[in-house]
């Protein structure tokens, strides 16, 4: 959770203000505001900084932005920004490239903050923020902190209210559903037969949209690196989910309908899947990784809700809703598909 110690007034370009913040990793960091030179050592900041109107303060970025989020990179105006490496590449985050920028602050996700703190001097002000949390209350605290350290409190509060309106739209219809009213689902990460539990990331997003996560009934499933569960293919065939969702990189699998259909066919052609209820009824979907792994999670949840509970959301158009959000806050929309097929639709193979 992030918090600000003391009060920060309006900060002008020629005025420096010393503040102390507690970032999402629970670390106390002293800063001199304004932050004019900012390095993004991880992805996850591609929406909040442009939304707050401070995207132009970014001087260098993670290699993950042009690689996995080229459209966001273009919207933010970071196409020509120097790279500081990618956390999951062999070379990891390039601290020398960060030092070359002489940044006022280095923004990173909580899971990599210790690594950077060990190699960067205190003057570079490593700050942990997390905008990929499916819990909107925790995300809101990070948005508030970002608003305060960039002197954009009003914009941050307005944006939080907007996100809450989307969340309330779904919760109003799904919070009273019984277990029997929730269809079962299996949600797969980027790795085959690896899934999230109901309290983790994508699994939480879908479970809070009117569906029931199959792994809730599982016993002693092996967990892997980030709390995911690794399934035996036979277990999935035996438990027969009513819906199947697969997280994909949009620029690779959702660039257009032809690529999406080809990727969908590859997914459902696995051994034995022709007997699964989800496959037989056409309830197998690919989804854009940012729907369940970004600051706009409440809008991503709308796509799952439309699949699970179409009779409760007859007028809901998730794609249009998401694009309205993008146009309002970022002045653009995704060139890729967000969900394939569209929520509530089934396709003949």
């Amino acid at each position: 959770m992030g918090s600000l110690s003391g009060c920060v007034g309006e900060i002008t370009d020629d005025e420096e203000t010393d503040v102390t913040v507690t970032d999402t990793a629970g670390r106390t960091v002293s800063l001199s505001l304004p932050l004019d030179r900012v390095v993004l050592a991880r992805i996850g900041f591609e929406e909040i900084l442009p939304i707050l109107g401070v995207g132009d303060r970014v001087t260098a970025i993670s290699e993950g932005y042009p690689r996995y989020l080229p459209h966001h990179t273009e919207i933010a105006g970071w196409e020509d920004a120097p790279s500081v490496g990618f956390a999951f590449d062999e070379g990891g985050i390039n601290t020398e490239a960060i030092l070359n920028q002489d940044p006022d602050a280095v923004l990173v996700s909580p899971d990599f903050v210790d690594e950077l703190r060990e190699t960067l001097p205190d003057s570079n002000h490593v700050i942990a923020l997390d905008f990929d949390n499916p819990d909107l209350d925790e995300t809101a605290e990070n948005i508030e902190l970002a608003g305060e350290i960039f002197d954009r409190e009003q914009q941050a509060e307005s944006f939080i209210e907007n996100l809450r309106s989307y969340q309330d739209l779904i919760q109003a219809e799904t919070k009273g559903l019984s277990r029997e009213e929730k269809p079962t689902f299996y949600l797969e990460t980027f790795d085959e037969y690896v899934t999230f539990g109901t309290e983790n990331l994508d699994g939480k997003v879908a479970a809070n949209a009117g569906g029931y996560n199959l792994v809730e009934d599982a016993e002693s499933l092996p967990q892997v690196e980030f709390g995911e569960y690794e399934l035996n293919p036979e277990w999935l065939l035996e438990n027969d989910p009513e819906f199947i969702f697969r997280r994909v990189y949009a620029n690779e699998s959702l660039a257009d309908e032809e690529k999406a259909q080809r990727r969908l066919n590859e997914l459902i052609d696995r051994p034995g899947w022709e007997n699964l209820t989800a496959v037989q009824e056409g309830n197998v979907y690919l989804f854009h990784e940012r729907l369940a792994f970004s600051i706009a999670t409440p809008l991503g949840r709308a796509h799952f809700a439309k699949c699970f509970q179409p009779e409760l959301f007859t007028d809901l158009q998730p794609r249009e809703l998401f694009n309205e959000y993008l146009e309002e806050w970022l002045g653009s929309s995704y060139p890729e598909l967000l969900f394939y097929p569209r929520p509530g639709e089934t396709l003949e193979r």
Side-chain angles (χ1 to χ4, degrees), residues 71-320:
H71 185 59
H72 282 89
T73 305
E74 181 180 350
I75 292 173
W78 300 336
E79 310 100 302
D80 299 323
S83 169
V84 295
F86 185 56
F88 296 103
D89 283 349
E90 184 176 351
I93 299 173
N94 187 334
T95 53
E96 183 177 351
I98 293 176
L99 289 170
N100 288 339
Q101 294 299 314
D102 189 25
D104 298 320
V106 179
L107 303 188
V108 68
S109 54
D111 46 337
F112 285 92
V113 69
D114 289 339
E115 175 184 331
L116 288 183
R117 285 286 293 160
E118 292 174 359
T119 54
L120 292 175
D122 291 343
S123 58
N124 287 126
H125 306 310
V126 177
I127 305 172
L129 291 168
D130 183 9
F131 300 105
D132 292 340
N133 196 313
D135 188 321
L136 182 54
D137 289 337
E138 293 189 21
T139 298
E141 291 183 0
N142 282 267
I143 297 171
E144 289 173 351
L145 179 55
E148 290 178 286
I149 65 175
F150 285 107
D151 192 31
R152 294 291 189 273
E153 293 95 335
Q154 186 173 352
Q155 292 96 319
E157 186 58 36
S158 177
F159 182 57
I160 291 169
E161 290 178 4
N162 187 252
L163 290 180
R164 290 199 188 282
S165 71
Y166 294 125
Q167 176 170 278
D168 293 345
L169 175 70
I170 305 304
Q171 287 187 341
E173 298 293 342
T174 60
K175 64 182 180 181
L177 294 174
S178 66
R179 163 65 185 88
E180 291 70 25
E181 293 174 302
K182 298 178 180 180
T184 58
F185 71 87
Y186 163 67
L187 187 151
E188 191 167 273
T189 70
F190 292 130
D191 299 315
E192 290 189 7
Y193 296 105
V194 175
T195 187
F196 283 111
T198 298
E199 294 302 317
N200 291 87
L201 298 175
D202 309 49
K204 188 170 186 176
V205 173
N208 288 341
Y212 185 81
N213 194 336
L214 265 186
V215 299
E216 287 297 290
D217 296 331
E219 295 182 3
S220 303
L221 288 175
Q223 285 192 306
V224 290
E225 187 174 5
F226 294 105
E228 307 102 318
Y229 293 98
E230 190 169 7
L231 303 181
N232 184 311
E234 290 300 321
W235 183 93
L236 187 66
L237 296 177
E238 291 170 5
N239 285 273
D240 192 21
E242 296 170 77
F243 285 84
I244 294 175
F245 304 97
R246 166 72 188 221
R247 182 211 287 177
V248 296
Y249 288 117
N251 59 330
E252 297 174 358
S253 299
L254 294 175
D256 54 49
E257 290 200 8
E258 182 179 353
K259 288 184 177 179
Q261 185 62 53
R262 184 163 58 246
R263 182 67 185 88
L264 187 67
N265 288 341
E266 292 172 358
L267 176 64
I268 61 183
D269 279 341
R270 293 180 186 175
W273 278 39
E274 69 276 6
N275 298 316
L276 290 175
T277 297
V279 174
Q280 292 178 352
E281 296 185 357
N283 291 327
V284 182
Y285 298 89
L286 309 177
F287 68 93
H288 196 303
E289 78 274 13
R290 304 312 290 168
L291 287 183
F293 205 61
S294 77
I295 202 168
T297 293
L299 289 130
R301 186 169 287 130
H303 291 72
F304 295 100
K306 182 74 172 184
C307 292
F308 293 141
Q309 306 292 339
E311 69 286 351
L312 297 180
F313 298 102
T314 54
D315 296 328
L316 179 65
Q317 300 298 327
R319 170 82 193 203
E320 287 71 15

